[in-house]
Amino acid sequence: MERFLHGRTALVTGSTSGIGLAIARALAAAGARVAINGLGTAAQIDAALASVAAAGGEARHVDADLRDPGAIAAMMATVQDAGALDVLVNCAGIQHAAPLAEQPASRWDDILAINLSAAFHTMQQALPGMAARGYGRVVNIASVHGLVASRDKAPYVASKFGLVGLSKVAALEYAAAGSRDTGGVTVNCVCPGWVETPLIEPQIQAHRNGGDRDKGVRALLEEKQPSLRMSLPEDIAAMVVWLCRPEAHNLTGTALPMDGGWTAQ
Ligand code: NAD
């Protein structure tokens, strides 16, 4: 792997597990110093740090419950005190599938706070410095559910549509920052369909209908994803790394589906 991010610093929220952890590893392999964030036991966080370091970079964990704007401000100060933040990936996210009438208000609040408001707070604190230095990449991990809806996911879909809109506004405001030589400042969303991570396990189990786990996976895919195969976290990570490349300087304000044809229908 070409280490084109050597000397750059990255923060990936929600990177103690799943897609975020794969992104942290891929950025480290591309040479970045990576700050990971996310919940977990000390052992889980240590294992995540070790795997990012093994991928080839310096890694640290920055603690913050992203429901708390004060904790986000402290996290951003810690990361930016240690050096300029060049790459910000907002990946933390939670889900709660239930009909609208049965969604607890507290779940709505948590999903909006983690999936959407946290990205507003991190971007607000990261983008001015990126613009001043002429290079910056914000990649927000939205979802196909930032582009189309599914039933039983009111707070999740609302948060992901919001994240796509927020990213487009930021892309416009920072489009002219920097130059082709410095790399510019871009803001994009990646919109995955089904990806094999712990987040979707409850939905796989709910689709088993008395069969095994494979039956649950098949049922989920047949419902929405024409490729009939899930993505791996590493597939999403490869797209994020590419968005950080210098030649991606003019790719901004987009919401890129990686969904096996889900949103082509
Ligand atoms: P995951 O459950 O494996 O990881 C979620 C991460 O978010 C974990 O590191 C967790 O600790 C962190 N997190 C949760 N609550 C937090 C909080 N309060 N404060 C700080 N961190 C918190 O899930 P994943 O599948 O890797 O999902 C990552 C992102 O990708 C999410 O935004 C999700 O919506 C999105 N996504 C996932 C899929 C999929 O099929 N797995 C599809 C589309 C989009």
Side-chain angles (χ1 to χ4, degrees):
M1 156 83 72
E2 185 200 341
R3 291 174 66 81
F4 72 98
L5 287 174
H6 180 71
R8 304 277 193 200
T9 298
L11 166 64
V12 186
T13 72
S15 49
T16 50
S17 168
I19 297 170
L21 180 54
I23 293 170
R25 276 199 296 258
L27 291 170
R33 273 179 288 134
V34 182
I36 68 167
N37 151 267
L39 309 178
T41 63
Q44 283 164 339
I45 291 168
D46 284 349
L49 277 174
S51 82
V52 176
E58 269 173 60
R60 63 189 304 205
H61 178 256
V62 281
D63 206 16
D65 184 328
L66 299 178
R67 288 172 299 185
D68 175 2
I72 296 173
M75 171 181 79
M76 296 304 288
T78 303
V79 169
Q80 297 191 99
D81 282 355
L85 181 60
D86 302 299
V87 176
L88 168 65
V89 182
N90 287 298
C91 186
I94 60 169
Q95 170 68 284
H96 182 71
L100 177 68
E102 293 163 24
Q103 286 280 355
S106 61
R107 296 298 280 182
W108 169 274
D109 289 344
D110 284 352
I111 291 173
L112 269 288
I114 296 165
N115 296 14
L116 176 57
S117 300
F120 164 74
H121 295 300
T122 57
M123 287 161 68
Q124 194 174 49
Q125 288 162 61
L127 278 162
M130 292 176 174
R133 291 184 299 276
Y135 174 85
R137 294 289 185 265
V138 177
V139 185
N140 293 326
I141 307 304
S143 167
V144 285
H145 287 117
L147 303 170
V148 293
S150 293
R151 53 184 301 149
D152 296 341
K153 296 186 176 173
Y156 188 82
V157 170
S159 72
K160 297 298 188 180
F161 269 71
L163 188 58
V164 169
L166 167 66
S167 306
K168 287 180 189 285
V169 173
L172 292 175
E173 292 185 6
Y174 287 90
S179 66
R180 202 163 51 196
D181 288 340
T182 62
V185 175
T186 69
V187 183
N188 292 286
C189 283
V190 174
C191 298
W194 295 117
V195 188
E196 293 216 37
T197 75
L199 183 99
I200 64 165
E201 201 54 39
Q203 296 172 78
I204 293 173
Q205 297 304 329
H207 279 72
R208 281 173 61 170
N209 276 331
D212 59 10
R213 186 178 180 278
D214 284 351
K215 188 172 176 209
V217 170
R218 246 190 340 272
L220 275 187
L221 290 169
E222 280 167 0
E223 198 175 76
K224 302 271 186 180
Q225 192 153 313
S227 66
L228 300 180
R229 50 181 191 267
M230 294 213 214
S231 294
L232 294 173
E234 289 72 19
D235 304 336
I236 311 300
M239 170 124 76
V240 173
V241 170
W242 188 81
L243 286 169
C244 295
R245 293 191 61 85
E247 58 267 39
H249 68 94
N250 248 342
L251 204 164
T252 195
T254 69
L256 298 163
M258 199 170 192
D259 64 0
W262 182 328
T263 54
Q265 297 170 99

